[in-house]
Amino acid sequence: MESISKKQSRMGMVVKSVLAIAVMASMSGLAIADKDDEKHNHGKKKTAFEKVSKEGLSVIVLGSGGPIATTEGRASAGYLIFTDGKPRILMDVGGGTYQRLAESGTNVKDLDIILLSHLHTDHTGDLTPVMKTIYFHNNLARNQAAQNGITLPGRTAPINIYGPTSSTLPPNAPGVNYPTPAGPVLVYPATEDYVHDHYSIPRHGVEAYLKAFVAGISDDDGPMGPGGPVSNFAYTANDLKSTVPGATEETVLTAADGLVIKAIAVDHGPVPAVAFRVEYKGHSIVYSGDTGTKGIGPMQFGKGNMTKISQGADMLIYDAAVMEKGDAPANPLFHILHTQPSLIADVAINADVDTLVLSHLTPVTSPRVDEIEDIIKGAGFTGEIKEAKDLKVYNIGADD
């Protein structure tokens, strides 16, 4: 396995875009514990962060919904992963996850990594607000320390952002109903381009102001004041090119403390998409992102990439946006882009996962979670099934 630094040096093997790093970890224990609604802490309801175990691997669901704003109020996709009680990884950062992060009570000044499963807006929409929050959380920690006579250095290392590569359509392809150049038509940018086009000053990024903004408000003595360098907005970028549609190779990233992240291509129709696996000391969380129902080639269910990356996982967080084909209301496009319950069952059974979490719930599936569970259990899955809800906390590998 290669280190993160080695991966950076290898051109284009991994999508990496940057803004801050501090890898920490440790994990022990055996059981999965779902701390649900521990309501009182000195008369107050506990925050989600207060429910996170100080040992092992934990997840706060920041967004369990899809791309549709509903009165139910689920945020779009987002999952915050902790090691030993410290926030380490953000998997997707869809609309509403910024608010859920605030409600969770979590300080993300030391967040290492952001994993983007694909570049649909319900998975990326709150990226910039969260980036900005990381900066302000760093300043908050410095200011609080200063009040106690302690000078903390600012954070200078980067946050690493990983995601899929680009995709194109040929000129005058179906659906391209406007004049096109002679070459391919870009539909989804590579993640590195997506991030550069947001934040790069040389590339006239639409949010490049953040560079000057951070420098301008860092402290009274400028961005390199007496406390040392403050949290910056510097970043670099690369691609997860081994995750192009059809690829069966996993990309493996490792950190010095034994944290392992794996990524593999999954089927999301024409959209470049990635599933992620996070491992630490014998425990694992897998996140499907959005996956379609292609039944051929390397994506074949029961034999394909989702099953491969999910093998033996403690927890599999799965896209549950649609019901079975033929079930009303039916939408052929959604059934191309998302996984029906019987195929979720196929993956979970063949991968032998312990706990299945149904997420990315839509107005079609949210009121029918019991039916989805019955379909999956009826197919033979014997593990636990849980419905993801915003601010739900799952502790894995903690002896609770």
Side-chain angles (χ1 to χ4, degrees):
M1 291 186 184
E2 298 181 71
S3 69
I4 285 178
S5 60
K6 287 180 181 177
K7 276 286 180 184
Q8 282 179 295
S9 65
R10 287 185 55 193
M11 35 69 43
M13 279 301 290
V14 235
V15 123
K16 196 174 185 186
S17 213
V18 178
L19 251 224
I21 190 171
V23 178
M24 48 190 101
S26 162
M27 175 171 179
S28 60
L30 300 171
I32 291 180
D34 174 5
K35 292 187 175 181
D36 188 8
D37 296 329
E38 296 178 32
K39 292 186 177 180
H40 296 288
N41 180 18
H42 303 294
K44 296 181 180 179
K45 184 176 180 179
K46 283 188 175 182
T47 64
F49 176 70
E50 289 172 324
K51 299 177 187 178
V52 170
S53 174
K54 301 306 180 195
E55 296 181 358
L57 198 61
S58 302
V59 185
I60 294 179
V61 180
L62 297 183
S64 57
I68 307 168
T70 68
T71 55
E72 187 180 19
R74 293 180 188 266
S76 293
Y79 311 87
L80 185 60
I81 295 183
F82 296 73
T83 58
D84 293 342
K86 300 184 185 301
R88 294 292 306 282
I89 300 168
L90 181 56
M91 298 190 301
D92 280 345
V93 56
T97 54
Y98 168 75
Q99 180 178 350
R100 294 293 183 264
L101 176 63
E103 292 171 341
S104 77
T106 306
N107 184 306
V108 289
K109 69 181 183 66
D110 294 322
L111 188 75
D112 291 73
I113 297 164
I114 295 176
L115 306 176
L116 300 178
S117 65
H118 62 292
L119 299 184
H120 277 164
T121 188
D122 56 315
H123 295 255
T124 63
D126 276 1
L127 178 61
T128 294
V130 169
M131 292 290 218
K132 217 166 181 177
T133 292
I134 293 170
Y135 170 77
F136 280 113
H137 278 185
N138 272 272
N139 274 7
L140 177 64
R142 283 164 52 92
N143 292 338
Q144 290 174 338
Q147 291 174 7
N148 294 311
I150 300 171
T151 299
L152 290 180
R155 175 177 175 167
T156 57
I159 284 185
N160 304 284
I161 304 175
Y162 300 88
T165 189
S166 62
S167 73
T168 60
L169 288 174
N172 303 313
V176 181
N177 53 5
Y178 50 85
T180 62
V185 179
L186 182 68
V187 179
Y188 292 93
T191 302
E192 62 173 291
D193 291 328
Y194 178 85
V195 176
H196 284 321
D197 289 345
H198 274 72
Y199 307 125
S200 170
I201 290 177
R203 289 173 62 161
H204 308 290
V206 295
E207 289 160 347
Y209 80 90
L210 288 174
K211 289 273 195 178
F213 174 83
V214 167
I217 67 169
S218 292
D219 55 44
D220 292 337
D221 295 294
M224 301 291 285
V230 300
S231 11
N232 59 48
F233 210 80
Y235 68 90
T236 60
N238 300 284
D239 270 351
L240 283 167
K241 291 185 178 175
S242 63
T243 56
V244 295
T248 58
E249 175 191 354
E250 290 179 328
T251 295
V252 181
L253 312 171
T254 62
D257 60 357
L259 177 69
V260 176
I261 298 170
K262 297 179 180 179
I264 201 165
V266 292
D267 171 40
H268 192 33
V271 186
V274 183
F276 291 104
R277 180 182 180 111
V278 178
E279 299 178 348
Y280 198 78
K281 292 185 178 178
H283 294 284
S284 56
I285 298 167
V286 175
Y287 171 49
S288 71
D290 288 1
T291 62
T293 56
K294 184 185 290 185
I296 58 174
M299 310 303 178
Q300 186 171 352
F301 284 83
K303 300 177 183 177
N305 286 0
M306 269 310 303
T307 302
K308 179 177 180 178
I309 201 167
S310 302
Q311 282 296 320
D314 292 284
M315 177 168 284
L316 171 57
I317 303 171
Y318 219 111
D319 161 28
V322 297
M323 298 300 294
E324 294 294 295
K325 284 185 177 179
D327 187 280
N331 185 311
L333 176 61
F334 286 169
H335 279 93
I336 291 171
L337 298 179
H338 299 278
T339 307
Q340 63 199 64
S342 58
L343 295 181
I344 295 175
D346 196 19
V347 171
I349 292 166
N350 282 280
D352 193 26
V353 303
D354 290 338
T355 298
L356 178 63
V357 177
L358 304 174
S359 197
H360 204 54
L361 296 163
T362 64
V364 172
T365 56
S366 185
R368 303 176 66 180
V369 170
D370 289 345
E371 291 179 55
I372 296 174
E373 290 187 12
D374 288 342
I375 292 169
I376 293 171
K377 290 176 181 176
F381 180 66
T382 57
E384 285 192 85
I385 303 176
K386 298 179 182 292
E387 174 187 353
K389 296 180 180 178
D390 292 11
L391 297 180
K392 192 93 163 180
V393 178
Y394 301 109
N395 292 312
I396 302 168
D399 188 8
D400 294 308

